[in-house]
Amino acid sequence: MKSSAIVCFLWESQLGVLREFFRRQGPITIVTLAPYVSQALIDLVTEVGGKLFIMDQELGDAGAERINAELVPLQQRLIDYLQQPLPSTLASEDRVQVAKAVGVRLDAELPLLLAVLQGLELAQQSYHLSLMIASEDVMSVAKVAMLWARGQGVPSLHMSHALALNDPHTVHAQLTADMHAVYGQRGLEGYLDYGVAAERMRVTGNPAWDKFAKLRGERALHNAQLRKQYELRDSQPIVVFGTTWTSSLTAHGDEGIFGQTVGAFIDACEALRREGVLCNPIIKDRPPNYHFGERRFKELLVERGADLQYYFYLVDDGPLW
């Protein structure tokens, strides 16, 4: 009889839910991909006596050969397709440019997605997969995995990673997971408006916030530690701006939203500074922006003639900020 395992694509901020799962179900194997394996996940699994099955590592060289064997005919199908007249919706587009754009995206994503599918099949040979859980179900890895899970009869859960006070991106109307956990009743409304069935959603609260009840009582301690760690100015209050990102999941997305919002924060800080109101302005960035965030932040300061030493761009200690 196979032992049970769950497939997990949770972001680090939501890993606390696994601790509660382990408390109720006992130690179990976590099946995931290397990009989702943080030190926090390793520590948690070790703490409870569980195991990790990292799909892309378990596939090894033999798996890489199988992926390449599948990849070549798929790439040829694309080439053959793009030799035909483009669909009417793309009739005005340049065929060469379309082929290039699609090819670049597929070259980047297909090998990983094939690794996901082959990794899931490999895990299924050794384990009874009882659940798939993810922090989102619309990006390529989680979506493909959950479609596979549906075909295999493995139940899946999308755990909300944000408080949906506004309408979600329209892509969320296509709920891929079997069930969707939202923070509160207000978070249901946007999905109900999109036509997602109420019975496919549950109000659960947000496990990622459980830790804040304890942290609230330690505020003075962490304030002092952060001031020392990041060499903040002692006499000035801390003002934190949490950045956003462009998900590219909607045609209404704005690639310039990072610069617009951070720029507005800098403008406000500069206005206060001119009035003699000083603070420690913290720009707390998020992982999707790491490849350009600090550079763009500095450009925004230079454009405004602001003092680079007055501001702090940080990517660590998000919950404490």
Side-chain angles (χ1 to χ4, degrees):
M1 183 178 178
K2 297 178 182 178
S3 59
S4 291
I6 64 172
V7 183
C8 177
F9 300 117
L10 287 175
W11 299 345
E12 185 171 331
S13 62
Q14 295 186 310
L15 289 179
V17 74
L18 291 182
R19 179 174 280 103
E20 179 63 19
F21 182 86
F22 284 132
R23 188 184 70 79
R24 299 185 186 188
Q25 304 294 328
I28 199 170
T29 297
I30 300 294
V31 177
T32 190
L33 285 171
Y36 291 87
V37 180
S38 63
Q39 189 60 49
L41 177 61
I42 294 172
D43 292 345
L44 174 58
V45 172
T46 302
E47 173 189 326
V48 300
K51 297 180 181 179
L52 277 175
F53 183 98
I54 305 172
M55 294 185 288
D56 37 343
Q57 295 180 6
E58 294 288 340
L59 285 171
D61 293 338
E65 291 179 4
R66 290 195 301 272
I67 290 170
N68 287 332
E70 281 194 60
L71 187 60
V72 172
L74 289 173
Q75 291 171 326
Q76 186 60 49
R77 283 178 61 185
L78 169 66
I79 294 171
D80 295 343
Y81 175 78
L82 291 174
Q83 296 303 314
Q84 306 170 27
L86 293 174
S88 58
T89 53
L90 297 175
S92 62
E93 300 293 335
D94 183 298
R95 182 196 303 272
V96 174
Q97 293 303 315
V98 170
K100 181 179 179 181
V102 174
V104 167
R105 186 65 178 265
L106 290 181
D107 287 346
E109 292 195 4
L110 265 183
L112 176 59
L113 296 179
L114 288 172
V116 170
L117 294 172
Q118 293 199 13
L120 289 169
E121 292 172 358
L122 182 63
Q124 195 175 41
Q125 292 173 15
S126 302
Y127 299 98
H128 167 63
L129 302 181
S130 58
L131 175 69
M132 182 177 291
I133 184 171
S135 297
E136 51 84 16
D137 68 345
V138 296
M139 305 292 275
S140 56
V141 168
K143 185 170 185 175
V144 167
M146 287 191 173
L147 289 171
W148 178 90
R150 183 185 301 168
Q152 299 296 314
V154 178
S156 58
L157 173 66
H158 167 201
M159 180 172 292
S160 285
H161 59 267
L163 183 62
L165 294 179
N166 58 346
D167 290 337
H169 290 317
T170 51
V171 70
H172 288 292
Q174 305 170 28
L175 180 61
T176 309
D178 295 329
M179 299 293 295
H180 186 188
V182 299
Y183 299 174
Q185 194 67 31
R186 176 65 180 87
L188 291 173
E189 295 179 10
Y191 299 98
L192 292 172
D193 290 344
Y194 286 153
V196 177
E199 57 267 24
R200 295 183 64 193
M201 295 184 285
R202 295 289 187 276
V203 175
T204 62
N206 178 15
W209 289 350
D210 290 347
K211 59 180 169 287
F212 289 112
K214 178 175 180 291
L215 289 175
R216 182 173 57 183
E218 303 170 349
R219 186 173 182 177
L221 171 65
H222 293 298
N223 184 297
Q225 289 177 341
L226 290 170
R227 285 180 178 276
K228 181 178 180 180
Q229 180 178 349
Y230 294 101
E231 299 181 350
L232 305 186
R233 295 175 288 273
D234 291 337
S235 60
Q236 298 169 11
I238 297 171
V239 180
V240 179
F241 179 82
T243 60
T244 187
W245 69 296
T246 303
S247 64
S248 300
L249 296 175
T250 169
H252 298 291
D254 186 346
E255 295 290 343
I257 195 170
F258 177 89
Q260 293 166 17
T261 53
V262 174
F265 175 69
I266 294 172
D267 290 341
C269 292
E270 289 298 294
L272 289 171
R273 197 176 182 192
R274 288 192 293 270
E275 296 296 325
V277 180
L278 302 180
C279 65
N280 287 285
I282 309 294
I283 287 82
K284 198 286 297 176
D285 210 354
R286 54 176 61 201
N289 297 335
Y290 289 177
H291 64 291
F292 76 93
E294 186 170 17
R295 171 183 55 77
R296 182 65 182 126
F297 157 68
K298 290 180 178 178
E299 289 173 353
L300 291 166
L301 293 177
V302 171
E303 289 169 9
R304 289 160 171 77
D307 182 1
L308 274 67
Q309 301 305 312
Y310 182 68
Y311 294 84
F312 301 86
Y313 174 90
L314 305 171
V315 296
D316 297 321
D317 299 309
L320 296 183
W321 290 116

